[in-house]
mmCIF file of all heavy atoms in Angstrom:
data_model
loop_
_atom_site.group_PDB
_atom_site.id
_atom_site.type_symbol
_atom_site.label_atom_id
_atom_site.label_comp_id
_atom_site.label_asym_id
_atom_site.label_seq_id
_atom_site.Cartn_x
_atom_site.Cartn_y
_atom_site.Cartn_z
ATOM 1 N N ASP A 232 102.650 85.268 124.455
ATOM 2 C CA ASP A 232 102.182 86.205 125.485
ATOM 3 C C ASP A 232 102.345 87.635 125.031
ATOM 4 O O ASP A 232 101.449 88.485 125.232
ATOM 5 C CB ASP A 232 102.995 85.968 126.782
ATOM 6 C CG ASP A 232 102.602 84.669 127.413
ATOM 7 O OD1 ASP A 232 101.525 84.140 127.079
ATOM 8 O OD2 ASP A 232 103.362 84.175 128.279
ATOM 9 N N GLU A 233 103.475 87.938 124.410
ATOM 10 C CA GLU A 233 103.736 89.321 123.973
ATOM 11 C C GLU A 233 102.727 89.734 122.910
ATOM 12 O O GLU A 233 102.175 90.834 122.973
ATOM 13 C CB GLU A 233 105.167 89.343 123.372
ATOM 14 C CG GLU A 233 105.660 90.736 123.086
ATOM 15 C CD GLU A 233 107.016 90.659 122.373
ATOM 16 O OE1 GLU A 233 107.888 89.837 122.744
ATOM 17 O OE2 GLU A 233 107.159 91.372 121.347
ATOM 18 N N ARG A 234 102.483 88.862 121.960
ATOM 19 C CA ARG A 234 101.572 89.203 120.882
ATOM 20 C C ARG A 234 100.141 89.347 121.443
ATOM 21 O O ARG A 234 99.376 90.203 120.994
ATOM 22 C CB ARG A 234 101.543 88.112 119.814
ATOM 23 C CG ARG A 234 102.796 88.163 118.973
ATOM 24 C CD ARG A 234 102.454 87.525 117.623
ATOM 25 N NE ARG A 234 103.634 87.004 116.975
ATOM 26 C CZ ARG A 234 103.591 86.179 115.930
ATOM 27 N NH1 ARG A 234 102.387 85.779 115.471
ATOM 28 N NH2 ARG A 234 104.655 85.700 115.360
ATOM 29 N N LEU A 235 99.794 88.480 122.404
ATOM 30 C CA LEU A 235 98.449 88.559 123.016
ATOM 31 C C LEU A 235 98.283 89.901 123.686
ATOM 32 O O LEU A 235 97.264 90.602 123.458
ATOM 33 C CB LEU A 235 98.284 87.443 124.065
ATOM 34 C CG LEU A 235 97.018 87.542 124.949
ATOM 35 C CD1 LEU A 235 95.762 87.367 124.088
ATOM 36 C CD2 LEU A 235 97.048 86.505 126.037
ATOM 37 N N GLU A 236 99.245 90.339 124.473
ATOM 38 C CA GLU A 236 99.145 91.626 125.163
ATOM 39 C C GLU A 236 99.036 92.772 124.144
ATOM 40 O O GLU A 236 98.216 93.692 124.333
ATOM 41 C CB GLU A 236 100.369 91.869 126.090
ATOM 42 C CG GLU A 236 100.420 90.912 127.257
ATOM 43 C CD GLU A 236 99.130 90.766 128.066
ATOM 44 O OE1 GLU A 236 98.482 91.801 128.356
ATOM 45 O OE2 GLU A 236 98.766 89.651 128.438
ATOM 46 N N ASN A 237 99.831 92.716 123.092
ATOM 47 C CA ASN A 237 99.786 93.769 122.072
ATOM 48 C C ASN A 237 98.397 93.904 121.432
ATOM 49 O O ASN A 237 97.883 94.957 121.237
ATOM 50 C CB ASN A 237 100.809 93.510 120.968
ATOM 51 C CG ASN A 237 102.232 93.860 121.437
ATOM 52 O OD1 ASN A 237 102.388 94.552 122.398
ATOM 53 N ND2 ASN A 237 103.200 93.325 120.737
ATOM 54 N N VAL A 238 97.869 92.714 121.086
ATOM 55 C CA VAL A 238 96.612 92.744 120.326
ATOM 56 C C VAL A 238 95.432 93.087 121.263
ATOM 57 O O VAL A 238 94.510 93.801 120.857
ATOM 58 C CB VAL A 238 96.401 91.380 119.590
ATOM 59 C CG1 VAL A 238 95.814 90.321 120.431
ATOM 60 C CG2 VAL A 238 95.595 91.615 118.319
ATOM 61 N N LEU A 239 95.542 92.711 122.554
ATOM 62 C CA LEU A 239 94.471 93.094 123.503
ATOM 63 C C LEU A 239 94.494 94.634 123.639
ATOM 64 O O LEU A 239 93.425 95.282 123.662
ATOM 65 C CB LEU A 239 94.756 92.469 124.875
ATOM 66 C CG LEU A 239 94.461 90.985 125.027
ATOM 67 C CD1 LEU A 239 94.948 90.498 126.415
ATOM 68 C CD2 LEU A 239 92.991 90.666 124.862
ATOM 69 N N GLU A 240 95.668 95.204 123.666
ATOM 70 C CA GLU A 240 95.861 96.639 123.743
ATOM 71 C C GLU A 240 95.246 97.349 122.505
ATOM 72 O O GLU A 240 94.443 98.232 122.619
ATOM 73 C CB GLU A 240 97.358 96.931 123.873
ATOM 74 C CG GLU A 240 97.762 98.377 123.818
ATOM 75 C CD GLU A 240 97.531 99.055 125.141
ATOM 76 O OE1 GLU A 240 97.812 98.410 126.143
ATOM 77 O OE2 GLU A 240 97.127 100.224 125.148
ATOM 78 N N MET A 241 95.666 96.823 121.366
ATOM 79 C CA MET A 241 95.247 97.470 120.132
ATOM 80 C C MET A 241 93.767 97.438 119.925
ATOM 81 O O MET A 241 93.134 98.389 119.458
ATOM 82 C CB MET A 241 95.948 96.803 118.915
ATOM 83 C CG MET A 241 95.751 97.508 117.624
ATOM 84 S SD MET A 241 96.308 96.585 116.250
ATOM 85 C CE MET A 241 97.885 96.049 116.801
ATOM 86 N N MET A 242 93.185 96.289 120.299
ATOM 87 C CA MET A 242 91.717 96.140 120.098
ATOM 88 C C MET A 242 90.908 96.540 121.316
ATOM 89 O O MET A 242 89.719 96.326 121.361
ATOM 90 C CB MET A 242 91.396 94.687 119.732
ATOM 91 C CG MET A 242 92.139 94.111 118.534
ATOM 92 S SD MET A 242 92.025 95.100 117.076
ATOM 93 C CE MET A 242 90.329 94.873 116.720
ATOM 94 N N GLN A 243 91.609 97.110 122.306
ATOM 95 C CA GLN A 243 90.933 97.525 123.553
ATOM 96 C C GLN A 243 90.048 96.414 124.163
ATOM 97 O O GLN A 243 88.857 96.596 124.394
ATOM 98 C CB GLN A 243 90.135 98.800 123.269
ATOM 99 C CG GLN A 243 91.048 99.962 122.951
ATOM 100 C CD GLN A 243 90.310 101.079 122.155
ATOM 101 O OE1 GLN A 243 89.121 101.113 122.119
ATOM 102 N NE2 GLN A 243 91.106 101.926 121.536
ATOM 103 N N LEU A 244 90.703 95.291 124.333
ATOM 104 C CA LEU A 244 89.990 94.105 124.833
ATOM 105 C C LEU A 244 90.481 93.656 126.229
ATOM 106 O O LEU A 244 90.066 92.623 126.727
ATOM 107 C CB LEU A 244 90.164 92.903 123.890
ATOM 108 C CG LEU A 244 89.368 93.011 122.594
ATOM 109 C CD1 LEU A 244 89.812 91.945 121.587
ATOM 110 C CD2 LEU A 244 87.862 92.876 122.823
ATOM 111 N N HIS A 245 91.330 94.474 126.859
ATOM 112 C CA HIS A 245 91.927 94.057 128.166
ATOM 113 C C HIS A 245 90.823 93.687 129.194
ATOM 114 O O HIS A 245 90.939 92.653 129.828
ATOM 115 C CB HIS A 245 92.774 95.183 128.744
ATOM 116 C CG HIS A 245 94.197 95.056 128.296
ATOM 117 N ND1 HIS A 245 94.989 93.999 128.650
ATOM 118 C CD2 HIS A 245 94.980 95.842 127.498
ATOM 119 C CE1 HIS A 245 96.219 94.136 128.115
ATOM 120 N NE2 HIS A 245 96.221 95.238 127.411
ATOM 121 N N GLU A 246 89.815 94.547 129.274
ATOM 122 C CA GLU A 246 88.774 94.327 130.299
ATOM 123 C C GLU A 246 87.925 93.110 130.001
ATOM 124 O O GLU A 246 87.287 92.579 130.901
ATOM 125 C CB GLU A 246 87.878 95.562 130.426
ATOM 126 C CG GLU A 246 88.329 96.570 131.396
ATOM 127 C CD GLU A 246 89.099 97.700 130.758
ATOM 128 O OE1 GLU A 246 88.437 98.655 130.294
ATOM 129 O OE2 GLU A 246 90.344 97.587 130.675
ATOM 130 N N LEU A 247 87.915 92.680 128.729
ATOM 131 C CA LEU A 247 87.016 91.585 128.321
ATOM 132 C C LEU A 247 87.747 90.233 128.241
ATOM 133 O O LEU A 247 87.161 89.257 127.865
ATOM 134 C CB LEU A 247 86.399 91.909 126.971
ATOM 135 C CG LEU A 247 85.583 93.222 126.913
ATOM 136 C CD1 LEU A 247 85.126 93.466 125.459
ATOM 137 C CD2 LEU A 247 84.359 93.133 127.837
ATOM 138 N N ARG A 248 89.033 90.207 128.555
ATOM 139 C CA ARG A 248 89.835 89.037 128.248
ATOM 140 C C ARG A 248 89.353 87.712 128.876
ATOM 141 O O ARG A 248 89.523 86.687 128.280
ATOM 142 C CB ARG A 248 91.311 89.275 128.560
ATOM 143 C CG ARG A 248 91.596 89.477 130.033
ATOM 144 C CD ARG A 248 93.019 90.003 130.260
ATOM 145 N NE ARG A 248 94.051 89.067 129.845
ATOM 146 C CZ ARG A 248 95.341 89.418 129.681
ATOM 147 N NH1 ARG A 248 95.734 90.678 129.858
ATOM 148 N NH2 ARG A 248 96.218 88.521 129.306
ATOM 149 N N GLY A 249 88.725 87.815 130.044
ATOM 150 C CA GLY A 249 88.236 86.598 130.692
ATOM 151 C C GLY A 249 86.798 86.226 130.386
ATOM 152 O O GLY A 249 86.298 85.179 130.835
ATOM 153 N N ARG A 250 86.127 87.094 129.638
ATOM 154 C CA ARG A 250 84.731 86.846 129.346
ATOM 155 C C ARG A 250 84.489 85.735 128.351
ATOM 156 O O ARG A 250 85.355 85.412 127.548
ATOM 157 C CB ARG A 250 84.123 88.134 128.711
ATOM 158 C CG ARG A 250 84.006 89.272 129.652
ATOM 159 C CD ARG A 250 82.603 89.588 130.044
ATOM 160 N NE ARG A 250 82.576 90.828 130.772
ATOM 161 C CZ ARG A 250 82.106 91.959 130.306
ATOM 162 N NH1 ARG A 250 81.503 91.970 129.130
ATOM 163 N NH2 ARG A 250 82.175 93.071 131.021
ATOM 164 N N SER A 251 83.250 85.242 128.349
ATOM 165 C CA SER A 251 82.803 84.308 127.308
ATOM 166 C C SER A 251 82.285 85.109 126.127
ATOM 167 O O SER A 251 81.663 86.157 126.314
ATOM 168 C CB SER A 251 81.683 83.423 127.871
ATOM 169 O OG SER A 251 80.920 82.930 126.808
ATOM 170 N N PRO A 252 82.510 84.665 124.897
ATOM 171 C CA PRO A 252 81.987 85.387 123.737
ATOM 172 C C PRO A 252 80.458 85.554 123.791
ATOM 173 O O PRO A 252 79.943 86.484 123.262
ATOM 174 C CB PRO A 252 82.337 84.456 122.587
ATOM 175 C CG PRO A 252 83.466 83.615 123.067
ATOM 176 C CD PRO A 252 83.309 83.457 124.546
ATOM 177 N N LYS A 253 79.802 84.629 124.527
ATOM 178 C CA LYS A 253 78.337 84.717 124.620
ATOM 179 C C LYS A 253 77.929 86.005 125.307
ATOM 180 O O LYS A 253 76.791 86.464 125.103
ATOM 181 C CB LYS A 253 77.793 83.523 125.391
ATOM 182 C CG LYS A 253 77.829 82.236 124.541
ATOM 183 C CD LYS A 253 77.357 80.999 125.324
ATOM 184 C CE LYS A 253 78.529 80.283 125.984
ATOM 185 N NZ LYS A 253 78.191 78.988 126.594
ATOM 186 N N ALA A 254 78.780 86.565 126.117
ATOM 187 C CA ALA A 254 78.475 87.807 126.873
ATOM 188 C C ALA A 254 78.888 89.072 126.148
ATOM 189 O O ALA A 254 78.868 90.128 126.734
ATOM 190 C CB ALA A 254 79.105 87.741 128.254
ATOM 191 N N LEU A 255 79.255 88.962 124.891
ATOM 192 C CA LEU A 255 79.775 90.134 124.163
ATOM 193 C C LEU A 255 78.754 90.695 123.175
ATOM 194 O O LEU A 255 77.921 89.979 122.635
ATOM 195 C CB LEU A 255 81.028 89.755 123.382
ATOM 196 C CG LEU A 255 82.220 89.198 124.168
ATOM 197 C CD1 LEU A 255 83.341 88.878 123.197
ATOM 198 C CD2 LEU A 255 82.689 90.138 125.237
ATOM 199 N N SER A 256 78.881 92.011 122.926
ATOM 200 C CA SER A 256 78.063 92.643 121.886
ATOM 201 C C SER A 256 78.672 92.309 120.519
ATOM 202 O O SER A 256 79.779 91.788 120.407
ATOM 203 C CB SER A 256 78.083 94.160 122.083
ATOM 204 O OG SER A 256 79.348 94.648 121.782
ATOM 205 N N ALA A 257 77.945 92.660 119.453
ATOM 206 C CA ALA A 257 78.431 92.389 118.092
ATOM 207 C C ALA A 257 79.746 93.090 117.831
ATOM 208 O O ALA A 257 80.664 92.504 117.274
ATOM 209 C CB ALA A 257 77.367 92.826 117.093
ATOM 210 N N GLY A 258 79.855 94.334 118.268
ATOM 211 C CA GLY A 258 81.070 95.067 118.028
ATOM 212 C C GLY A 258 82.273 94.466 118.770
ATOM 213 O O GLY A 258 83.387 94.415 118.267
ATOM 214 N N GLN A 259 82.020 93.978 119.997
ATOM 215 C CA GLN A 259 83.049 93.337 120.764
ATOM 216 C C GLN A 259 83.492 92.017 120.131
ATOM 217 O O GLN A 259 84.671 91.691 120.065
ATOM 218 C CB GLN A 259 82.586 93.139 122.214
ATOM 219 C CG GLN A 259 82.444 94.440 122.991
ATOM 220 C CD GLN A 259 81.665 94.284 124.291
ATOM 221 O OE1 GLN A 259 80.902 93.324 124.479
ATOM 222 N NE2 GLN A 259 81.821 95.230 125.199
ATOM 223 N N LYS A 260 82.505 91.251 119.665
ATOM 224 C CA LYS A 260 82.817 90.001 119.002
ATOM 225 C C LYS A 260 83.690 90.241 117.758
ATOM 226 O O LYS A 260 84.607 89.467 117.457
ATOM 227 C CB LYS A 260 81.533 89.271 118.567
ATOM 228 C CG LYS A 260 80.841 88.560 119.680
ATOM 229 C CD LYS A 260 79.634 87.831 119.117
ATOM 230 C CE LYS A 260 78.716 87.428 120.276
ATOM 231 N NZ LYS A 260 77.312 87.259 119.840
ATOM 232 N N GLN A 261 83.353 91.283 117.072
ATOM 233 C CA GLN A 261 84.100 91.668 115.873
ATOM 234 C C GLN A 261 85.556 91.941 116.232
ATOM 235 O O GLN A 261 86.471 91.487 115.514
ATOM 236 C CB GLN A 261 83.433 92.917 115.273
ATOM 237 C CG GLN A 261 84.345 93.848 114.543
ATOM 238 C CD GLN A 261 84.415 93.421 113.083
ATOM 239 O OE1 GLN A 261 84.310 92.231 112.793
ATOM 240 N NE2 GLN A 261 84.642 94.397 112.251
#
Side-chain angles (χ1 to χ4, degrees):
D232 290 343
E233 190 188 315
R234 287 205 205 165
L235 171 66
E236 295 308 319
N237 284 344
V238 84
L239 287 172
E240 172 81 38
M241 189 189 314
M242 305 307 291
Q243 293 157 18
L244 286 169
H245 270 296
E246 270 96 87
L247 302 175
R248 65 193 296 165
R250 292 252 188 109
S251 158
K253 286 178 267 188
L255 302 180
S256 70
Q259 290 166 340
K260 281 184 195 155
Q261 151 87 330

